[in-house]
Amino acid sequence: MRKYLLPAIIMGVGAFILTMGLLFRFYAYPNLAVVPTNQNSTSVVQDPDATYFDADNVEPGSGELTTTVRIIGDPEASEAASEETGRDVAVWNMGQVSDNNGDNMPMAGSTSVAVFDRHTGEAINCCGESENGEEVEREGQVVKFPFDTKPVDTYQWWDATVGKAYPVTYVGEDTIQGMDLYKFTSEVPLTKYTTMELPGSLFGLAPSSPAVEADRFYSNERTFWVDPVTGVIIDRVEDQHQEFRHGGESVNALTTTSSFTQETVDTNVEDYKSSSKLLALVHTTLPIAFTAIGLVLLLLGLVLSVIIGRGKRRDTTPAYADDRGDPVFGDDDTTRLRRG
């Protein structure tokens, strides 16, 4: 029995390592590949040379435009939403302010409650999802791409201005500060999204003319640099244009090419570079390595047990056994009686 001890040990170790590989992939990874419910972050998007309609002075303006996005997760609401939907849900409160002159009156601002799947990043329509206090039904990606993002054209990105999701196109790979990223674009065509009351003089009418109802149009071309492991957007650029239209005349409302500030990009890299490597290790490297080693050890133990088994049979069986009878008298009882 001692001969079989070594194969049994080898096979036991192999089974353990194989099990660990499967646990890394199917238990550890799903538990690690989730967005936090207690998110607390700030992103800053900036354009040093934006042109816009200066509402303070009721005239065209230009200069630096800074947009600050603040995100605060709500763990209690996330838990309640998860219980209500039967899914792993995150609820984030988001506030956005755009400022062109640094005073106490921002150029634009908005608040929202984002409810989305913690694994895929896709919107979930429930549990207080809103835009500026009004209920909204979102679709597509809301704040990030899925964990294990694929280089495909099947994602959609939610645009809060128009209130619609638009297709996302994969355009290639890029590298930022040592991180290998996927590059995506998403385009919003020029679309009317609201109507505003503005002075008629802006559209060539007399200075004393009354205010008019002007249509506001908007277009945007976004570019995302996405970490494919975590789905986090490390950098982004928006080429945005807005204009007012009335009576065949148009007035520029906003033209800007804005991007994350260098500080924001640096913070994203610092926060996600190491976690991306760890998650990739758990998702791919460790499961493949442990599964391969486990299978090799199982096969080795099996082969050793077969070899030992064959050796034992050779040891217990005579090389030659002559079971023939006596060549002269034979071996049966009758022959032995006559010989007696």
Side-chain angles (χ1 to χ4, degrees), residues 252-263:
N252 178 57
L254 176 65
T255 299
T256 175
T257 299
S258 58
S259 61
F260 280 160
T261 61
Q262 188 60 52
E263 182 180 358

Side-chain angles (χ1 to χ4, degrees), residues 27-89:
Y27 178 76
Y29 176 74
N31 282 279
L32 291 172
V34 291
V35 299
T37 59
N38 61 342
Q39 179 78 4
N40 190 331
S41 62
T42 301
S43 300
V44 180
V45 178
Q46 200 167 66
D47 178 8
D49 300 308
T51 59
Y52 45 80
F53 176 71
D54 188 345
D56 294 336
N57 300 303
V58 197
E59 62 182 18
S62 63
E64 184 176 272
L65 178 63
T66 301
T67 299
T68 303
V69 180
R70 188 88 167 93
I71 296 176
I72 299 178
D74 189 333
E76 292 183 2
S78 299
E79 183 177 354
S82 298
E83 292 178 358
E84 179 178 334
T85 61
R87 299 173 63 177
D88 208 355
V89 178

Side-chain angles (χ1 to χ4, degrees), residues 73-237:
D74 189 333
E76 292 183 2
S78 299
E79 183 177 354
S82 298
E83 292 178 358
E84 179 178 334
T85 61
R87 299 173 63 177
D88 208 355
V89 178
V91 178
W92 286 1
N93 298 305
M94 305 170 62
Q96 177 174 306
V97 175
S98 296
D99 181 44
N100 62 312
N101 53 22
D103 62 15
N104 293 325
M105 292 297 293
M107 180 178 179
S110 65
T111 60
S112 64
V113 178
V115 183
F116 58 97
D117 188 288
R118 295 180 68 195
H119 303 275
T120 68
E122 292 181 302
I124 297 176
N125 296 310
C126 79
C127 320
E129 184 180 38
S130 65
E131 191 76 40
N132 293 320
E134 297 184 3
E135 185 177 341
V136 64
E137 291 189 0
R138 299 186 179 96
E139 59 181 347
Q141 309 304 133
V142 182
V143 295
K144 68 182 294 294
F145 284 74
F147 286 90
D148 193 24
T149 299
K150 304 298 183 184
V152 296
D153 298 340
T154 56
Y155 302 117
Q156 290 195 321
W157 187 263
W158 175 258
D159 185 277
T161 301
V162 176
K164 181 181 177 182
Y166 289 88
V168 173
T169 302
Y170 172 74
V171 295
E173 297 185 14
D174 207 344
T175 302
I176 294 179
Q177 298 186 30
M179 293 188 72
D180 295 327
L181 308 174
Y182 288 160
K183 188 176 179 181
F184 294 93
T185 60
S186 181
E187 184 175 356
V188 181
L190 193 63
T191 305
K192 174 187 171 182
Y193 74 96
T194 191
T195 301
M196 301 181 65
E197 189 175 89
L198 295 172
S201 58
L202 290 176
F203 303 96
L205 302 179
S208 59
S209 62
V212 298
E213 292 289 326
D215 296 327
R216 187 162 186 168
F217 285 75
Y218 159 90
S219 67
N220 200 346
E221 183 174 342
R222 294 182 171 94
T223 303
F224 306 97
W225 284 263
V226 180
D227 172 30
V229 178
T230 63
V232 171
I233 299 169
I234 302 299
D235 195 6
R236 67 186 289 177
V237 172

Side-chain angles (χ1 to χ4, degrees), residues 278-304:
L278 175 61
L279 202 57
L281 197 67
V282 174
H283 181 242
T284 305
T285 307
L286 290 179
I288 291 176
F290 274 57
T291 300
I293 294 172
L295 290 174
V296 168
L297 289 177
L298 284 172
L299 182 60
L300 177 61
L302 181 61
V303 170
L304 282 176

Side-chain angles (χ1 to χ4, degrees), residues 5-19 294 297-298 301-302:
L5 185 58
L6 179 59
I9 292 174
I10 293 175
M11 293 177 70
V13 173
F16 174 77
I17 293 177
L18 177 61
T19 301
L297 289 177
L298 284 172
L302 181 61

